[in-house]
Amino acid sequence: MNRLVCLGLLTAAITAPAAAMDRSLIKQFKELDPQTRLEQRCDTEAMWEINAGKTLFKPDKVIAYTFADPVVENDKIQAPGAVFRSKGEWYKLKYQCSTGPDHIEVLSFNYTIGDLVPHDEWEAHYLYP
């Protein structure tokens, strides 16, 4: 399954609160290959963590690989070139995420929100409103 299909697969589910990860979302994650599952699970965690933080951001999409490829090692991913969309704007994001061996349970997660991505850069990075 390619990244674009995977992004679409989880769009509705990833806006739910972390506590609400139900069986259908877990089932969707388990249908992905392990590396894609790790990336998608950590992208989902990024959305939940940012939503839970004391910020004005309300992310509805996270992409781990926009400005740099993620670095994956076993059950960990570092996404130094990630982005998230909030209220129709894209923002740079860096995150580190560690999961259990099934890539469902998140064991640790840290993130840093970066700058707003200017609209004139969106097309070059396949970003959309």
Side-chain angles (χ1 to χ4, degrees):
M1 204 178 285
N2 69 39
R3 286 180 173 178
L4 293 177
V5 172
C6 294
L7 290 172
L9 178 68
L10 300 174
T11 298
I14 56 182
T15 57
M21 189 159 75
D22 62 15
R23 290 179 191 191
S24 66
L25 181 55
I26 292 170
K27 182 181 178 203
Q28 289 178 32
F29 281 130
K30 288 185 176 182
E31 290 174 359
L32 303 173
D33 66 85
Q35 184 167 339
T36 302
R37 182 182 320 139
L38 173 64
E39 181 180 310
Q40 291 294 310
R41 179 60 185 95
C42 290
D43 284 356
T44 302
E45 188 68 20
M47 288 183 44
W48 289 345
E49 294 280 341
I50 295 168
N51 269 318
K54 297 186 187 312
T55 71
L56 298 176
F57 298 113
K58 297 295 177 203
D60 63 355
K61 177 75 82 184
V62 172
I63 304 172
Y65 52 86
T66 299
F67 287 96
D69 288 334
V71 177
V72 176
E73 184 179 321
N74 299 319
D75 303 327
K76 298 178 185 176
I77 184 172
Q78 292 183 26
V83 294
F84 71 93
R85 186 178 61 196
S86 175
K87 302 175 188 172
E89 297 291 338
W90 288 96
Y91 297 86
K92 292 184 178 181
L93 175 68
K94 295 178 182 181
Y95 73 74
Q96 302 85 39
C97 178
S98 175
T99 70
D102 64 357
H103 299 165
I104 300 292
E105 180 186 10
V106 173
L107 303 177
S108 67
F109 187 86
N110 295 296
Y111 70 94
T112 302
I113 295 173
D115 295 330
L116 176 74
V117 179
H119 287 219
D120 61 359
E121 294 182 18
W122 286 18
E123 186 177 341
H125 295 287
Y126 305 100
L127 301 176
Y128 46 90

